[in-house]
């Protein structure tokens, strides 16, 4: 554990987080001129505001974010798909001293191994079929900033060796090159699977897991924080109206009751999709039960 992280934990322990338990992150804590924790910057409410919560588990997450954001320590975010892992990673970056640097997100599960290696580390011309030019990798592009490796559980053991080296030495070579590149990049990784189980199955390297698992944040599923549903719905409807000009800013009590009865297997991401589609088909400023997708009606009735 590095010295910056130890100092941050000591400050959090001795002085607290500066926020009353049970409430969302206040605007005062978002204002660096008032808190003095960050240098002066102006930024609007970011996407992670949709994670605002009264749930104690989410409050613990906020406390961890505030404690570790300005350190350089590696973070592992776990939880089901759609629980907001990417948004938490962005919040950590935005609150850090790296906030003026790049935030690079890589969906590791979306690319085959050969392309993912090039995507992460870059390549030189002629290193493989189709490599017609030199290419800068995402780690290099994230220099002085943050790289977020989503679904890191999907990487192969061969690629995990190279990731381990980057975490240990902060250096790598582009595919097909011998020149070593050094980077100052913070790594935040996420997994929607239990990496301990993946280790036991032989799918994930144990040494890489321990390098990633310096600070772990586990995101709860939406069904475990249903008390937040009304505020989440209101926030998302207002944002949809602002961004998409839907004209829909409210939801009927009956429709909200159906949302409460639903188990949300897709979590916050599914909620966003449901509200988006319902806003599109709604003929007024309020979502009614008839505007909800049939999947909500059917599963809520079970």
């Amino acid at each position: 554990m590095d010295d910056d992280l130890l100092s941050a934990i000591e400050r959090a322990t001795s002085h607290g987080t500066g926020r009353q338990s049970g409430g969302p992150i206040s605007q005062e804590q978002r204002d660096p001129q008032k808190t003095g924790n960050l240098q002066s910057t102006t930024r609007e409410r970011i996407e992670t505001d949709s994670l605002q919560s009264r749930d104690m588990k989410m409050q613990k997450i906020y406390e961890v974010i505030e404690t570790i954001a300005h350190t350089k320590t590696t973070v592992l975010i776990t939880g089901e798909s759609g629980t907001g892992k990417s948004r938490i990673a962005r919040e950590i970056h935005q609150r850090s001293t790296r906030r003026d640097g790049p935030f690079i997100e890589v969906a590791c599960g979306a690319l085959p191994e050969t392309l993912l290696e090039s995507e992460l580390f870059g390549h030189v011309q002629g290193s493989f079929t189709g490599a017609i030019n030199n290419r800068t990798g995402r780690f290099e592009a994230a220099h002085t900033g943050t790289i977020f490796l989503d679904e890191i559980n999907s990487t192969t053991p061969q690629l995990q060796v190279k990731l381990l080296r980057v975490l240990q030495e902060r250096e790598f070579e582009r595919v097909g090159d011998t020149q070593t590149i050094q980077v100052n990049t913070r790594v935040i990784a996420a997994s929607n699977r239990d990496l301990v189980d993946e280790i036991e199955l032989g799918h994930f390297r144990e040494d890489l897991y321990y390098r990633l698992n310096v600070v772990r944040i586990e995101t709860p599923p939406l069904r475990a924080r249903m008390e937040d549903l009304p505020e989440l719905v209101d926030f998302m409807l207002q944002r949809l109206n602002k961004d998409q000009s839907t004209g829909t800013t409210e939801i009927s009590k009956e429709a909200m009751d159906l949302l409460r009865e639903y188990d949300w297997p897709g979590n916050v991401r599914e909620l966003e999709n449901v509200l988006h589609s319902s806003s599109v088909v709604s003929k007024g400023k309020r979502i009614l039960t008839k505007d909800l997708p049939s999947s909500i009606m059917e599963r809520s009735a079970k």
Side-chain angles (χ1 to χ4, degrees), residues 76-77 106-109 116 149-156 160 163 167 187-192 195 203-204 208 212:
L76 176 62
I77 308 173
V106 182
C108 297
L116 180 58
L149 305 176
D150 197 11
E151 295 184 9
I152 196 168
N153 52 282
S154 65
T155 58
T156 64
Q160 290 166 27
L163 291 173
L167 286 169
V187 177
I188 302 177
S191 174
N192 56 11
L195 291 182
H203 298 162
F204 203 83
L208 177 58
L212 293 171

Side-chain angles (χ1 to χ4, degrees), residues 8-68:
I9 292 174
E10 288 174 0
R11 284 195 297 272
T13 303
S14 58
H15 301 297
T17 62
R19 188 179 71 252
Q20 297 295 323
S21 63
I25 297 175
S26 66
Q27 188 62 37
E28 285 74 14
Q29 271 116 20
R30 293 180 177 277
D31 188 342
Q33 294 182 346
K34 293 182 181 180
T35 62
N37 289 331
L38 298 178
Q39 297 177 358
S40 61
T41 182
T42 56
R43 60 188 178 92
E44 298 178 354
R45 291 165 63 89
I46 60 176
E47 279 192 314
T48 36
D49 287 339
S50 65
L51 295 177
Q52 289 293 328
S53 175
R54 300 179 185 276
D55 179 76
M56 289 304 298
K57 289 183 179 179
M58 292 300 296
Q59 292 296 317
K60 293 288 187 182
I61 289 175
Y62 296 142
E63 292 173 7
V64 172
I65 290 173
E66 291 175 353
T67 301
I68 64 151

Side-chain angles (χ1 to χ4, degrees), residues 81-124:
S81 296
T83 51
K85 295 187 288 293
S86 173
R87 293 176 180 179
I88 289 174
R90 288 180 181 274
E91 181 77 353
I92 293 172
H93 174 76
Q94 289 287 346
R95 289 173 174 271
S96 75
T97 55
R98 296 172 178 265
R99 64 189 176 278
D100 293 327
F103 178 88
I104 306 293
E105 182 171 349
V106 182
C108 297
L111 294 171
E113 178 189 6
T114 52
L115 292 181
L116 180 58
E117 182 179 3
S118 172
E119 187 76 11
L120 292 175
F121 303 113
H123 63 253
V124 295

Side-chain angles (χ1 to χ4, degrees), residues 118-134:
S118 172
E119 187 76 11
L120 292 175
F121 303 113
H123 63 253
V124 295
Q125 182 180 4
S127 57
F128 57 86
T129 303
I132 58 176
N133 295 302
N134 292 346

Side-chain angles (χ1 to χ4, degrees), residues 212-232:
L212 293 171
N213 196 36
V214 179
V215 172
R216 181 174 176 177
I217 296 175
E218 185 171 357
T219 57
L222 180 56
R223 60 184 174 276
R225 45 180 290 223
M226 292 299 287
E227 62 182 311
D228 294 330
L229 190 63
E231 292 182 11
L232 285 171

